[in-house]
Amino acid sequence: MQQEYVGVNSVQNLEGVLSRHNPNSIFLVTGGASYELSGAKSAVEPLLSGFRITRFSDFEVNPKLTDIERGIDIFREADCDLVIAIGGGSVMDVAKSINVLAANDGKPEDYINKKATIENRGKVLVGIPTTSGSGSEATKFAVIYIDKTKYSLEHELVLPDYAIVDPQLTVSLPKGITASTGMDALSQAVESYWCVNSNDESKDYAREAIKLVMGNLSDAVNNPSEVSREAMARAAHLAGKAINISKTTASHAISYPITSYFSIPHGHAVALTVGQMFVYNSGVSEQDVLDQRGVEYVKNIIDEITALLGAEDPQEASKIIADLMDEIGLATKLREVGIKAQEDIDIIVRNGFNPDRVKNNPRELTEEALRVILEGIR
């Protein structure tokens, strides 16, 4: 079970964690400039004084297998016995991957490709997010890219032992990152809610996350306050807890080539199609329903999410999402982010069918349907 500390000044709980485990050597995974700019450095350095620290920050925003392999070598050589990840989703993914893969003797690629099974637990891992979006501190997944293809390392042992979610570390986030990561949290919550793997617990987390995002994201971007920052930090963490149970669905699958081929930030890439998927999933029928709970169940779920967004029907829900994106400065059309040509659409379609995500969607997504969805936002 993960131990959580959520709220203003919760970063101070790191002192108690370190006292409890008394590590000889700490592997500290951070972003580059964000570590200092977020205030994380000044908040945690006093707590880390006296410990031997190996810092690792040499990796790409969408971490590659080579980044992970390099980190594993450094981690093993330093003989660290506790890991702290401080940063956004990529930082969490890198730390989670290195920690668990370094404890297992096979080739990292084999675990990522599911050719080998993770058997050994890594060291104690503490996740401290400095963005309000990925919720990665609350999940058993880690995203790794191999040759522009996104893979998900998944195992119960990937989940951090501790999550420390302190909204103060998000205060200095630029508008664009606040907007994109906030839409990631909303997309995760919405997708989790309609996912075929959802249950009452995941829907409770997702429901609360949706309410928090809808009530606070615009303020967090355009008029940030302690209240809106804390609400978004909680929303992201809850959305992470939701997808940790249910996983994500089609919009996440479609987002990966948009990010890897066109360099659109992950949260923005996902949000581009969530509104369209609302309308698409609402058209579910006996012929294409993937949720074993049936067509009526799926339609009721879509109605519930629609109401949570303050909409009358899926079409209005889609418009509300687009309006929110406009309000926080995110483009809603593919052409506005440089995806204009037919060949661009072909790339997304060719690479947007991650089977683990698409099969989780409540309605079967065909290539033809995906083309219609993409043309609708081009």
Side-chain angles (χ1 to χ4, degrees), residues 180-198:
S180 181
T181 55
M183 287 307 298
D184 190 18
L186 179 62
S187 302
Q188 287 182 166
V190 166
E191 289 184 66
S192 175
Y193 207 102
W194 67 38
C195 184
V196 301
N197 304 313
S198 70

Side-chain angles (χ1 to χ4, degrees), residues 4 43 60 63 71 74-75 88 100 102 169 172 175 201 223 228-229 255 271 277 293 300 304 360:
E4 304 169 19
E60 295 190 35
I74 295 168
F75 180 72
V100 77
L169 302 182
S172 64
K175 277 190 173 190
E201 183 183 1
N223 187 27
S228 61
R229 289 293 195 190
S255 79
M277 290 308 302
R293 291 166 288 195
N300 288 336
E304 286 178 26
N360 295 337

Side-chain angles (χ1 to χ4, degrees), residues 75-367:
F75 180 72
R76 285 174 171 165
E77 191 174 333
D79 195 24
C80 298
D81 53 357
L82 186 137
V83 181
I84 302 174
I86 306 179
S90 294
V91 170
M92 297 295 157
D93 289 341
V94 166
K96 288 155 70 174
S97 301
I98 290 171
N99 186 42
V100 77
L101 293 176
N104 290 270
D105 295 332
K107 290 166 57 179
E109 192 167 356
D110 289 342
Y111 296 107
I112 294 164
N113 287 322
K114 297 180 172 60
K115 292 178 183 172
T117 304
I118 291 169
E119 294 178 351
N120 301 326
R121 178 180 293 278
K123 306 300 183 183
V124 171
L125 172 57
V126 185
I128 307 176
T130 60
T131 63
S132 296
S134 75
S136 184
E137 78 284 347
T139 71
K140 60 188 175 189
F141 321 114
V143 171
I144 302 166
Y145 282 83
I146 304 176
D147 299 327
K148 286 189 179 292
T149 300
K150 175 262 174 193
Y151 291 85
S152 186
L153 179 67
E154 178 187 342
H155 197 279
E156 294 294 340
L157 296 178
V158 173
L159 179 72
D161 301 281
Y162 296 91
I164 299 177
V165 184
D166 191 331
Q168 288 188 119
L169 302 182
T170 69
V171 166
S172 64
L173 274 180
K175 277 190 173 190
I177 297 177
T178 301
S180 181
T181 55
M183 287 307 298
D184 190 18
L186 179 62
S187 302
Q188 287 182 166
V190 166
E191 289 184 66
S192 175
Y193 207 102
W194 67 38
C195 184
V196 301
N197 304 313
S198 70
N199 61 22
D200 289 343
E201 183 183 1
S202 69
K203 284 189 285 187
D204 283 345
Y205 294 142
R207 187 182 300 114
E208 188 59 30
I210 292 169
K211 290 177 184 174
L212 286 168
V213 175
M214 295 308 295
N216 294 279
L217 178 55
S218 181
D219 281 347
V221 174
N222 296 313
N223 187 27
S225 64
E226 188 174 296
V227 170
S228 61
R229 289 293 195 190
E230 180 161 12
M232 286 307 302
R234 291 182 182 277
H237 187 61
L238 287 164
K241 287 163 71 78
I243 65 165
N244 192 50
I245 294 169
S246 67
K247 301 184 184 178
T248 53
T249 65
S251 286
H252 264 73
I254 302 164
S255 79
Y256 298 126
I258 295 176
T259 292
S260 58
Y261 286 90
F262 303 100
S263 302
I264 310 306
H266 170 69
H268 189 183
V270 178
L272 281 165
T273 61
V274 169
Q276 298 294 314
M277 290 308 302
F278 246 107
V279 178
Y280 180 74
N281 286 339
S282 70
V284 66
S285 69
E286 294 290 352
Q287 286 69 46
D288 57 20
V289 66
L290 294 182
D291 195 313
Q292 294 186 341
R293 291 166 288 195
V295 171
E296 282 310 306
Y297 170 82
V298 173
K299 287 183 176 291
N300 288 336
I301 284 299
I302 300 294
D303 287 345
E304 286 178 26
I305 312 172
T306 299
L308 284 170
L309 294 180
E312 294 290 326
D313 55 43
Q315 287 74 16
E316 189 185 357
S318 180
K319 184 177 184 306
I320 285 172
I321 290 173
D323 288 348
L324 175 60
M325 291 174 70
D326 277 336
E327 207 173 300
I328 61 177
L330 295 180
T332 58
K333 298 294 185 184
L334 294 177
R335 64 176 176 274
E336 296 169 348
V337 294
I339 302 172
K340 300 174 183 176
Q342 188 58 51
E343 307 91 84
D344 297 340
I345 299 292
D346 291 343
I347 286 171
I348 298 170
V349 172
R350 197 161 54 243
N351 296 281
F353 276 87
N354 177 304
D356 286 341
R357 299 295 179 270
V358 174
K359 73 182 181 186
N360 295 337
N361 203 60
R363 183 184 181 189
E364 183 181 5
L365 182 66
T366 63
E367 181 179 318

Side-chain angles (χ1 to χ4, degrees), residues 27-91:
F27 192 66
L28 177 65
V29 184
T30 74
S34 67
Y35 177 51
E36 193 162 343
L37 293 174
S38 66
K41 182 178 180 180
S42 60
V44 304
E45 281 208 339
L47 308 176
L48 298 178
S49 65
F51 293 99
R52 185 156 61 87
I53 306 292
T54 299
R55 183 180 167 197
F56 182 65
S57 60
D58 181 21
F59 49 87
E60 295 190 35
V61 172
N62 298 303
K64 312 270 186 299
L65 174 61
T66 50
D67 296 323
I68 304 304
E69 290 171 333
R70 188 170 60 255
I72 289 171
D73 290 341
I74 295 168
F75 180 72
R76 285 174 171 165
E77 191 174 333
D79 195 24
C80 298
D81 53 357
L82 186 137
V83 181
I84 302 174
I86 306 179
S90 294
V91 170

